[in-house]
Amino acid sequence: MTFKKITLFFVIVVFSVQLKGQGTKHSESAVKKATWAKISPYFSPSANFKDEYGKFRSPLKFYNGTTVKSAADWSKRRKEIADRWNGLMGKWPPFLKDQKMEYLDTIRKDGFTQYKVRFKWTPNEVTEGYLSVPDGKGKKPAVITVFYEPETAITKGLKQRDFAYSLTNRGFVTLSIGTKQASLDKTYSIYYPSIEIAEIQPLSALGYAAANAWYVLSKVPEVDAERIGIMGHSFGGKWAMFASCLFDKFACAVWSDPGIVFNEARESVNYWEPWYLGYHPKPWRKRGLITKENPVKGLYPKLVAEGFDLHELHALMAPRPFLVSGGSEDPESQWIPLNHTIKINNLLGAKNRVAMTNRPMHSPTPESNEIAYLFFDYFLK
């Protein structure tokens, strides 16, 4: 082969590779645009709730009343919110950054491998869950799913709550975890250092446990640590919300119908219970709505009396994206507290970071789940 032919051959090969790369980028861009077209309607409230802020105290005002006017101001205000809430709920112990998962079992599935795993999620408590890794080379996005136990998310529970299985089939590494033994004991949550004397409000302790799950998942060779989200429904929705708001390494989050702000008229929006934000040593109050005969104790009544609400925690997400997959506990009117976070994102120059879908019933539906999965596709892939 002559020098000219060799040169021409080399040029053709390089040009072909470039074209292939451009074609791949074009294809990825088209997919992303198509995904955005499906989810974009859920990133803005209807005219009924646009620019409505309700009775909620503005996160864009410091606790002394000074107004946040710049991104630099917001950085200070964000720290003030985080410090105040962590001070009220209890300081987290150091993160368990250096541990590795213990692999207990391996099952080959269609298109992925599922591992039963064990790791420490608090300094004195071990948990078991399921790590599912899709086939294929390269680093992948990942999602942690949280619930009463880890089996539901891998298809061993109610329909439409198999979040880990569905996301794994879409190319995500997933880690399904849950408070299995506590659910059996009807204590539901995590109590650190013990249920007799908990130094952290249990819902915050769940957030801490999820943060340690983030660290152990981030060390899995197939996982891109910059692209890890979290998702949960109901109890798991509360858990996912507190974890993602209080731990900023979660890239994005989906909260399925947790009741995103306090509402004492709804029995399922029960942040006052001792396994959430109303911890007190046993004997516990009877589960249910607050009444004179069945009052609440612990931190919760103090939060309400002093004007705190969970929209301040939502604000800690900015500018990270999150989706409220709303049902009976999170109707369309929840745009009112969400508008406060939108306002913060506007100050930061971040658009389309807060989304909500709505369905009439509490349970997820195929339609609400599809938008949730597309949300992860868009922001993590």
Side-chain angles (χ1 to χ4, degrees), residues 128-173:
E128 293 181 359
Y130 298 91
L131 173 72
S132 299
V133 181
D135 296 346
K137 296 180 180 179
K139 297 282 189 178
K140 300 173 178 63
V143 177
I144 294 173
T145 63
V146 291
F147 200 51
Y148 288 111
E149 33 66 33
E151 282 78 19
T152 288
I154 61 166
T155 72
K156 298 180 180 179
L158 294 175
K159 289 183 178 180
Q160 307 309 326
R161 302 186 192 189
D162 57 350
F163 303 147
Y165 176 78
S166 297
L167 286 164
T168 301
N169 281 324
R170 298 174 83 105
F172 294 87
V173 176

Tab-separated table of all heavy atoms in Angstrom, residues 128-173:
chain	number	residue	atom	x	y	z
A	128	GLU	N	-29.253	-5.244	56.204
A	128	GLU	CA	-29.128	-6.033	54.985
A	128	GLU	C	-30.045	-5.453	53.919
A	128	GLU	O	-31.103	-4.887	54.224
A	128	GLU	CB	-29.499	-7.495	55.243
A	128	GLU	CG	-28.512	-8.206	56.161
A	128	GLU	CD	-28.866	-9.668	56.396
A	128	GLU	OE1	-29.899	-10.125	55.843
A	128	GLU	OE2	-28.114	-10.349	57.122
A	129	GLY	N	-29.613	-5.570	52.676
A	129	GLY	CA	-30.400	-5.062	51.559
A	129	GLY	C	-30.034	-5.789	50.287
A	129	GLY	O	-29.377	-6.839	50.314
A	130	TYR	N	-30.448	-5.210	49.152
A	130	TYR	CA	-30.233	-5.846	47.855
A	130	TYR	C	-29.594	-4.855	46.885
A	130	TYR	O	-30.148	-3.792	46.624
A	130	TYR	CB	-31.558	-6.367	47.294
A	130	TYR	CG	-32.189	-7.419	48.177
A	130	TYR	CD1	-33.088	-7.059	49.177
A	130	TYR	CD2	-31.845	-8.760	48.038
A	130	TYR	CE1	-33.650	-8.007	50.011
A	130	TYR	CE2	-32.406	-9.719	48.868
A	130	TYR	CZ	-33.299	-9.342	49.853
A	130	TYR	OH	-33.843	-10.291	50.679
A	131	LEU	N	-28.442	-5.239	46.384
A	131	LEU	CA	-27.727	-4.475	45.370
A	131	LEU	C	-27.969	-5.142	44.027
A	131	LEU	O	-27.697	-6.330	43.858
A	131	LEU	CB	-26.238	-4.443	45.686
A	131	LEU	CG	-25.324	-3.812	44.632
A	131	LEU	CD1	-25.516	-2.297	44.593
A	131	LEU	CD2	-23.859	-4.163	44.922
A	132	SER	N	-28.474	-4.378	43.065
A	132	SER	CA	-28.729	-4.909	41.727
A	132	SER	C	-27.909	-4.132	40.715
A	132	SER	O	-27.985	-2.905	40.665
A	132	SER	CB	-30.221	-4.815	41.382
A	132	SER	OG	-30.993	-5.577	42.292
A	133	VAL	N	-27.124	-4.864	39.918
A	133	VAL	CA	-26.181	-4.244	38.982
A	133	VAL	C	-26.511	-4.691	37.565
A	133	VAL	O	-26.411	-5.879	37.236
A	133	VAL	CB	-24.729	-4.621	39.325
A	133	VAL	CG1	-23.756	-3.956	38.352
A	133	VAL	CG2	-24.400	-4.239	40.769
A	134	PRO	N	-26.911	-3.763	36.683
A	134	PRO	CA	-27.219	-4.133	35.293
A	134	PRO	C	-25.975	-4.612	34.556
A	134	PRO	O	-24.846	-4.238	34.894
A	134	PRO	CB	-27.733	-2.825	34.677
A	134	PRO	CG	-28.063	-1.944	35.826
A	134	PRO	CD	-27.137	-2.342	36.933
A	135	ASP	N	-26.196	-5.437	33.546
A	135	ASP	CA	-25.094	-5.869	32.683
A	135	ASP	C	-24.522	-4.666	31.936
A	135	ASP	O	-25.188	-3.646	31.758
A	135	ASP	CB	-25.596	-6.903	31.666
A	135	ASP	CG	-26.083	-8.180	32.336
A	135	ASP	OD1	-25.806	-8.378	33.531
A	135	ASP	OD2	-26.764	-8.970	31.650
A	136	GLY	N	-23.292	-4.827	31.461
A	136	GLY	CA	-22.671	-3.775	30.662
A	136	GLY	C	-21.497	-3.136	31.371
A	136	GLY	O	-21.439	-3.088	32.609
A	137	LYS	N	-20.552	-2.648	30.575
A	137	LYS	CA	-19.346	-2.037	31.115
A	137	LYS	C	-19.583	-0.557	31.403
A	137	LYS	O	-20.540	0.048	30.949
A	137	LYS	CB	-18.199	-2.201	30.119
A	137	LYS	CG	-17.801	-3.656	29.864
A	137	LYS	CD	-16.661	-3.741	28.863
A	137	LYS	CE	-16.269	-5.191	28.609
A	137	LYS	NZ	-15.159	-5.296	27.617
A	138	GLY	N	-18.643	0.008	32.170
A	138	GLY	CA	-18.674	1.445	32.429
A	138	GLY	C	-19.426	1.811	33.693
A	138	GLY	O	-20.202	1.017	34.247
A	139	LYS	N	-19.178	3.028	34.152
A	139	LYS	CA	-19.845	3.554	35.332
A	139	LYS	C	-21.309	3.854	35.023
A	139	LYS	O	-21.644	4.334	33.942
A	139	LYS	CB	-19.163	4.837	35.801
A	139	LYS	CG	-17.712	4.659	36.253
A	139	LYS	CD	-17.643	4.076	37.650
A	139	LYS	CE	-16.210	4.094	38.186
A	139	LYS	NZ	-16.126	3.575	39.575
A	140	LYS	N	-22.167	3.588	35.999
A	140	LYS	CA	-23.607	3.744	35.794
A	140	LYS	C	-24.204	4.648	36.878
A	140	LYS	O	-23.676	4.729	37.987
A	140	LYS	CB	-24.291	2.384	35.841
A	140	LYS	CG	-23.805	1.404	34.779
A	140	LYS	CD	-24.396	0.027	34.998
A	140	LYS	CE	-23.948	-0.946	33.920
A	140	LYS	NZ	-22.487	-1.169	33.924
A	141	PRO	N	-25.319	5.303	36.572
A	141	PRO	CA	-26.042	6.025	37.617
A	141	PRO	C	-26.661	5.034	38.587
A	141	PRO	O	-26.819	3.845	38.271
A	141	PRO	CB	-27.103	6.798	36.837
A	141	PRO	CG	-27.349	5.970	35.620
A	141	PRO	CD	-26.011	5.358	35.278
A	142	ALA	N	-27.026	5.512	39.760
A	142	ALA	CA	-27.551	4.613	40.790
A	142	ALA	C	-28.657	5.303	41.578
A	142	ALA	O	-28.709	6.533	41.658
A	142	ALA	CB	-26.439	4.166	41.733
A	143	VAL	N	-29.532	4.486	42.157
A	143	VAL	CA	-30.611	5.002	43.006
A	143	VAL	C	-30.725	4.099	44.236
A	143	VAL	O	-30.734	2.875	44.120
A	143	VAL	CB	-31.962	5.037	42.258
A	143	VAL	CG1	-33.078	5.500	43.201
A	143	VAL	CG2	-31.894	5.941	41.036
A	144	ILE	N	-30.814	4.730	45.408
A	144	ILE	CA	-31.120	4.017	46.646
A	144	ILE	C	-32.629	4.089	46.857
A	144	ILE	O	-33.228	5.161	46.765
A	144	ILE	CB	-30.382	4.641	47.842
A	144	ILE	CG1	-28.867	4.453	47.688
A	144	ILE	CG2	-30.859	4.032	49.159
A	144	ILE	CD1	-28.041	5.183	48.743
A	145	THR	N	-33.258	2.941	47.117
A	145	THR	CA	-34.684	2.918	47.407
A	145	THR	C	-34.879	2.542	48.874
A	145	THR	O	-34.188	1.672	49.398
A	145	THR	CB	-35.448	1.930	46.501
A	145	THR	OG1	-34.982	0.591	46.741
A	145	THR	CG2	-35.235	2.280	45.034
A	146	VAL	N	-35.844	3.211	49.527
A	146	VAL	CA	-36.041	3.026	50.970
A	146	VAL	C	-37.507	2.743	51.255
A	146	VAL	O	-38.409	3.327	50.654
A	146	VAL	CB	-35.563	4.273	51.749
A	146	VAL	CG1	-34.053	4.404	51.669
A	146	VAL	CG2	-36.206	5.564	51.226
A	147	PHE	N	-37.735	1.836	52.230
A	147	PHE	CA	-39.110	1.464	52.584
A	147	PHE	C	-39.097	0.737	53.921
A	147	PHE	O	-38.070	0.631	54.586
A	147	PHE	CB	-39.721	0.600	51.473
A	147	PHE	CG	-41.234	0.555	51.482
A	147	PHE	CD1	-41.980	1.719	51.530
A	147	PHE	CD2	-41.904	-0.657	51.432
A	147	PHE	CE1	-43.373	1.685	51.528
A	147	PHE	CE2	-43.299	-0.707	51.426
A	147	PHE	CZ	-44.032	0.470	51.480
A	148	TYR	N	-40.264	0.182	54.308
A	148	TYR	CA	-40.364	-0.557	55.565
A	148	TYR	C	-39.462	-1.784	55.597
A	148	TYR	O	-39.071	-2.240	56.653
A	148	TYR	CB	-41.809	-1.009	55.796
A	148	TYR	CG	-42.757	0.099	56.155
A	148	TYR	CD1	-43.747	0.501	55.259
A	148	TYR	CD2	-42.683	0.738	57.385
A	148	TYR	CE1	-44.649	1.511	55.579
A	148	TYR	CE2	-43.575	1.762	57.711
A	148	TYR	CZ	-44.548	2.135	56.810
A	148	TYR	OH	-45.427	3.142	57.130
A	149	GLU	N	-39.198	-2.339	54.431
A	149	GLU	CA	-38.260	-3.463	54.287
A	149	GLU	C	-37.719	-3.412	52.862
A	149	GLU	O	-38.304	-2.759	51.992
A	149	GLU	CB	-38.933	-4.805	54.602
A	149	GLU	CG	-40.402	-4.908	54.240
A	149	GLU	CD	-40.675	-4.846	52.751
A	149	GLU	OE1	-39.833	-5.324	51.973
A	149	GLU	OE2	-41.717	-4.323	52.370
A	150	PRO	N	-36.606	-4.084	52.601
A	150	PRO	CA	-35.980	-3.951	51.285
A	150	PRO	C	-36.577	-4.835	50.196
A	150	PRO	O	-36.265	-4.652	49.022
A	150	PRO	CB	-34.524	-4.335	51.553
A	150	PRO	CG	-34.580	-5.268	52.716
A	150	PRO	CD	-35.736	-4.815	53.556
A	151	GLU	N	-37.421	-5.792	50.568
A	151	GLU	CA	-37.902	-6.760	49.577
A	151	GLU	C	-38.942	-6.183	48.612
A	151	GLU	O	-39.010	-6.585	47.450
A	151	GLU	CB	-38.484	-7.993	50.290
A	151	GLU	CG	-37.436	-8.957	50.823
A	151	GLU	CD	-36.805	-8.478	52.119
A	151	GLU	OE1	-37.407	-7.617	52.798
A	151	GLU	OE2	-35.707	-8.960	52.458
A	152	THR	N	-39.774	-5.268	49.090
A	152	THR	CA	-40.823	-4.715	48.225
A	152	THR	C	-40.246	-4.124	46.949
A	152	THR	O	-40.779	-4.332	45.854
A	152	THR	CB	-41.636	-3.650	48.984
A	152	THR	OG1	-42.447	-4.296	49.961
A	152	THR	CG2	-42.548	-2.869	48.035
A	153	ALA	N	-39.157	-3.395	47.064
A	153	ALA	CA	-38.589	-2.706	45.893
A	153	ALA	C	-37.991	-3.654	44.873
A	153	ALA	O	-37.748	-3.262	43.729
A	153	ALA	CB	-37.529	-1.696	46.341
A	154	ILE	N	-37.769	-4.928	45.262
A	154	ILE	CA	-37.237	-5.905	44.300
A	154	ILE	C	-38.314	-6.895	43.865
A	154	ILE	O	-38.014	-8.027	43.506
A	154	ILE	CB	-36.000	-6.631	44.853
A	154	ILE	CG1	-36.329	-7.420	46.123
A	154	ILE	CG2	-34.866	-5.653	45.107
A	154	ILE	CD1	-35.254	-8.421	46.517
A	155	THR	N	-39.580	-6.490	43.946
A	155	THR	CA	-40.784	-7.180	43.438
A	155	THR	C	-41.439	-8.113	44.451
A	155	THR	O	-42.412	-8.790	44.102
A	155	THR	CB	-40.522	-8.006	42.144
A	155	THR	OG1	-39.754	-9.166	42.456
A	155	THR	CG2	-39.845	-7.165	41.088
A	156	LYS	N	-40.993	-8.154	45.699
A	156	LYS	CA	-41.599	-9.061	46.677
A	156	LYS	C	-42.569	-8.313	47.591
A	156	LYS	O	-42.550	-8.436	48.811
A	156	LYS	CB	-40.511	-9.758	47.490
A	156	LYS	CG	-39.591	-10.621	46.637
A	156	LYS	CD	-38.534	-11.301	47.468
A	156	LYS	CE	-37.614	-12.159	46.595
A	156	LYS	NZ	-36.551	-12.833	47.384
A	157	GLY	N	-43.432	-7.509	46.980
A	157	GLY	CA	-44.386	-6.731	47.748
A	157	GLY	C	-45.499	-6.235	46.851
A	157	GLY	O	-45.778	-6.812	45.802
A	158	LEU	N	-46.150	-5.144	47.265
A	158	LEU	CA	-47.271	-4.600	46.512
A	158	LEU	C	-46.850	-4.132	45.126
A	158	LEU	O	-45.724	-3.666	44.930
A	158	LEU	CB	-47.892	-3.437	47.283
A	158	LEU	CG	-48.563	-3.786	48.619
A	158	LEU	CD1	-49.014	-2.519	49.326
A	158	LEU	CD2	-49.746	-4.720	48.405
A	159	LYS	N	-47.769	-4.217	44.175
A	159	LYS	CA	-47.497	-3.766	42.819
A	159	LYS	C	-47.232	-2.267	42.805
A	159	LYS	O	-47.727	-1.523	43.643
A	159	LYS	CB	-48.685	-4.091	41.910
A	159	LYS	CG	-48.853	-5.571	41.616
A	159	LYS	CD	-50.011	-5.799	40.654
A	159	LYS	CE	-50.165	-7.275	40.308
A	159	LYS	NZ	-51.293	-7.506	39.375
A	160	GLN	N	-46.466	-1.837	41.832
A	160	GLN	CA	-46.121	-0.426	41.615
A	160	GLN	C	-45.207	0.140	42.700
A	160	GLN	O	-45.015	1.358	42.767
A	160	GLN	CB	-47.377	0.448	41.468
A	160	GLN	CG	-48.358	-0.038	40.425
A	160	GLN	CD	-47.710	-0.305	39.063
A	160	GLN	OE1	-46.793	0.384	38.677
A	160	GLN	NE2	-48.210	-1.320	38.360
A	161	ARG	N	-44.645	-0.731	43.545
A	161	ARG	CA	-43.661	-0.274	44.525
A	161	ARG	C	-42.324	-0.985	44.330
A	161	ARG	O	-41.458	-0.939	45.189
A	161	ARG	CB	-44.193	-0.478	45.945
A	161	ARG	CG	-45.501	0.262	46.155
A	161	ARG	CD	-46.018	0.223	47.561
A	161	ARG	NE	-47.409	0.704	47.605
A	161	ARG	CZ	-48.091	0.946	48.714
A	161	ARG	NH1	-47.526	0.765	49.880
A	161	ARG	NH2	-49.340	1.379	48.652
A	162	ASP	N	-42.186	-1.614	43.167
A	162	ASP	CA	-40.953	-2.337	42.841
A	162	ASP	C	-39.946	-1.381	42.200
A	162	ASP	O	-39.427	-1.619	41.117
A	162	ASP	CB	-41.252	-3.524	41.926
A	162	ASP	CG	-41.964	-3.127	40.635
A	162	ASP	OD1	-42.402	-1.957	40.523
A	162	ASP	OD2	-42.076	-3.985	39.745
A	163	PHE	N	-39.658	-0.290	42.920
A	163	PHE	CA	-38.845	0.781	42.347
A	163	PHE	C	-37.451	0.304	41.942
A	163	PHE	O	-36.950	0.661	40.871
A	163	PHE	CB	-38.710	1.934	43.343
A	163	PHE	CG	-40.008	2.524	43.809
A	163	PHE	CD1	-40.136	3.026	45.098
A	163	PHE	CD2	-41.117	2.594	42.972
A	163	PHE	CE1	-41.321	3.594	45.536
A	163	PHE	CE2	-42.314	3.147	43.401
A	163	PHE	CZ	-42.414	3.642	44.698
A	164	ALA	N	-36.807	-0.477	42.800
A	164	ALA	CA	-35.440	-0.911	42.504
A	164	ALA	C	-35.410	-1.794	41.257
A	164	ALA	O	-34.565	-1.618	40.372
A	164	ALA	CB	-34.853	-1.655	43.697
A	165	TYR	N	-36.327	-2.745	41.178
A	165	TYR	CA	-36.374	-3.637	40.024
A	165	TYR	C	-36.597	-2.860	38.733
A	165	TYR	O	-35.907	-3.075	37.728
A	165	TYR	CB	-37.483	-4.663	40.225
A	165	TYR	CG	-37.696	-5.588	39.043
A	165	TYR	CD1	-36.843	-6.656	38.810
A	165	TYR	CD2	-38.763	-5.376	38.167
A	165	TYR	CE1	-37.033	-7.502	37.719
A	165	TYR	CE2	-38.965	-6.213	37.086
A	165	TYR	CZ	-38.100	-7.280	36.864
A	165	TYR	OH	-38.295	-8.102	35.778
A	166	SER	N	-37.557	-1.949	38.750
A	166	SER	CA	-37.883	-1.177	37.545
A	166	SER	C	-36.716	-0.305	37.112
A	166	SER	O	-36.407	-0.193	35.917
A	166	SER	CB	-39.121	-0.325	37.797
A	166	SER	OG	-40.249	-1.139	38.058
A	167	LEU	N	-36.049	0.333	38.070
A	167	LEU	CA	-34.924	1.202	37.733
A	167	LEU	C	-33.712	0.394	37.262
A	167	LEU	O	-32.982	0.826	36.362
A	167	LEU	CB	-34.554	2.064	38.950
A	167	LEU	CG	-35.539	3.202	39.237
A	167	LEU	CD1	-35.330	3.751	40.643
A	167	LEU	CD2	-35.402	4.315	38.195
A	168	THR	N	-33.504	-0.777	37.833
A	168	THR	CA	-32.405	-1.634	37.366
A	168	THR	C	-32.616	-2.014	35.909
A	168	THR	O	-31.674	-2.011	35.109
A	168	THR	CB	-32.293	-2.901	38.239
A	168	THR	OG1	-32.076	-2.522	39.591
A	168	THR	CG2	-31.124	-3.764	37.779
A	169	ASN	N	-33.856	-2.306	35.554
A	169	ASN	CA	-34.158	-2.655	34.165
A	169	ASN	C	-34.000	-1.471	33.218
A	169	ASN	O	-33.965	-1.655	32.003
A	169	ASN	CB	-35.577	-3.219	34.066
A	169	ASN	CG	-35.644	-4.668	34.508
A	169	ASN	OD1	-34.727	-5.444	34.276
A	169	ASN	ND2	-36.729	-5.035	35.176
A	170	ARG	N	-33.877	-0.269	33.762
A	170	ARG	CA	-33.649	0.920	32.939
A	170	ARG	C	-32.171	1.319	32.936
A	170	ARG	O	-31.812	2.372	32.411
A	170	ARG	CB	-34.499	2.078	33.456
A	170	ARG	CG	-35.995	1.816	33.386
A	170	ARG	CD	-36.787	2.935	34.056
A	170	ARG	NE	-36.977	4.065	33.157
A	170	ARG	CZ	-38.118	4.349	32.542
A	170	ARG	NH1	-39.182	3.575	32.714
A	170	ARG	NH2	-38.214	5.408	31.755
A	171	GLY	N	-31.320	0.488	33.553
A	171	GLY	CA	-29.886	0.739	33.490
A	171	GLY	C	-29.266	1.344	34.734
A	171	GLY	O	-28.084	1.716	34.729
A	172	PHE	N	-30.033	1.443	35.822
A	172	PHE	CA	-29.504	1.993	37.062
A	172	PHE	C	-29.028	0.881	37.994
A	172	PHE	O	-29.703	-0.141	38.143
A	172	PHE	CB	-30.589	2.788	37.804
A	172	PHE	CG	-31.039	4.034	37.098
A	172	PHE	CD1	-32.062	3.981	36.158
A	172	PHE	CD2	-30.454	5.255	37.370
A	172	PHE	CE1	-32.500	5.126	35.504
A	172	PHE	CE2	-30.877	6.405	36.726
A	172	PHE	CZ	-31.898	6.346	35.788
A	173	VAL	N	-27.887	1.094	38.627
A	173	VAL	CA	-27.536	0.275	39.778
A	173	VAL	C	-28.482	0.694	40.901
A	173	VAL	O	-28.730	1.889	41.098
A	173	VAL	CB	-26.072	0.503	40.206
A	173	VAL	CG1	-25.761	-0.279	41.476
A	173	VAL	CG2	-25.118	0.121	39.091
